Amino acid sequence: NKADMEQGLDGIKIALKVLSEYYAKADKAHASADGAGGGIIGLLEVVESDFTKGLAEMTATEESSLSAYDTETKENEIEKATKEQDVKYK
């Protein structure tokens, strides 16, 4: 659901921040893992992009569904009122 997607996206952003800061350090005690770190960061960036896209699609779908529901509800109210008036005048 939307809350889970937002929470997941926040987690990915935190992980990217932590890893980027770690691999940006000057001491380079992790020099042998720079390639792997870059690969992990790249993968997390792709996941972040996918989460962002999924969240945008989910939001658009929810808004579209809500709009359709509101339209259908108004049409039903009008139809009900019309039928009630028809019965009243018969």
Side-chain angles (χ1 to χ4, degrees):
N1 65 30
K2 187 175 178 180
D4 291 340
M5 291 288 282
E6 289 172 343
Q7 187 177 10
L9 185 58
D10 290 343
I12 295 295
K13 288 180 180 182
I14 291 169
L16 278 169
K17 181 180 179 220
V18 168
L19 287 172
S20 295
E21 289 173 357
Y22 176 77
Y23 285 107
K25 288 182 181 175
D27 66 4
K28 295 294 178 187
H30 50 74
S32 63
D34 275 346
I40 292 169
I41 290 173
L43 178 65
L44 286 173
E45 288 171 342
V46 170
V47 171
E48 178 185 30
S49 173
D50 290 348
F51 268 60
T52 302
K53 180 181 174 186
L55 186 59
E57 289 173 356
M58 188 180 295
T59 301
T61 300
E62 286 177 358
E63 289 173 357
S64 174
S65 296
L66 181 60
S67 176
Y69 173 79
D70 288 342
T71 301
E72 185 72 26
T73 301
K74 287 177 184 174
E75 289 173 359
N76 289 341
E77 288 173 356
I78 292 169
E79 186 176 345
K80 180 182 176 188
T82 302
K83 288 181 180 181
E84 287 174 347
Q85 291 301 319
D86 287 347
V87 167
K88 191 185 241 185
Y89 292 118
K90 283 191 177 184

